[in-house]
Amino acid sequence: LRFAARYRPGRSRALLGGDFYDVVRTPDGTVHAMIGDVCGHGPDEAALGVELRIAWRALTLAGLCGDQLLSTLQQVLEHERPDDEIFATLCTVDIAPDG
C-alpha cells in the first residue's frame, strides 16, 4: 500500500487553514488514515488542526479506535479550541492487512 498526498487550498492565495490529514500503520499491519478540517481560516485554526492530527496519531498508535478514539479527540478539541463555536470535521478509515 502506498500513500501520496497533495494539498491544494480551496481559496486562492490561502496560506493557512484548518485542514489536516495523516496515515499511520500499527504493529498489527493495519493502515489507519484520517482527513479533517477545523472551521475557519488562519493561524489559530491551523494550529488546532496540527494539534488534532498529532493527537489522532498518538491515540491510534496507543491502540484506541472507533468511538473511544473519537470521544478522546473531542475532549482534545474542547480543551484546546479558543472559542466554543469552533468545531472540526473528521473522517477515518482503517484498512486491515488482509484487505
Side-chain angles (χ1 to χ4, degrees):
L1 184 64
R2 290 185 189 183
F3 173 75
R6 179 177 15 161
Y7 177 76
R8 295 181 68 191
R11 297 178 303 136
S12 64
R13 298 190 194 131
L15 297 177
L16 291 173
D19 303 328
F20 56 99
Y21 58 89
D22 202 355
V23 176
V24 65
R25 184 179 357 203
T26 49
D28 67 355
T30 302
V31 174
H32 307 268
M34 169 273 298
I35 185 168
D37 186 21
V38 175
C39 70
H41 306 282
D44 291 338
E45 292 81 3
L48 185 54
V50 170
E51 290 181 72
L52 292 173
R53 183 190 65 79
I54 292 169
W56 175 85
R57 176 176 276 259
L59 294 168
T60 300
L61 290 172
L64 274 71
C65 59
D67 290 343
Q68 189 179 22
L69 185 140
L70 293 176
S71 65
T72 305
L73 274 179
Q74 179 70 26
Q75 290 177 0
V76 171
L77 171 66
E78 290 173 0
H79 185 267
E80 297 296 325
R81 65 186 175 187
D83 183 315
D84 288 349
E85 300 294 314
I86 300 294
F87 65 92
T89 55
L90 182 76
C91 180
T92 64
V93 64
D94 302 321
I95 304 168
D98 60 2

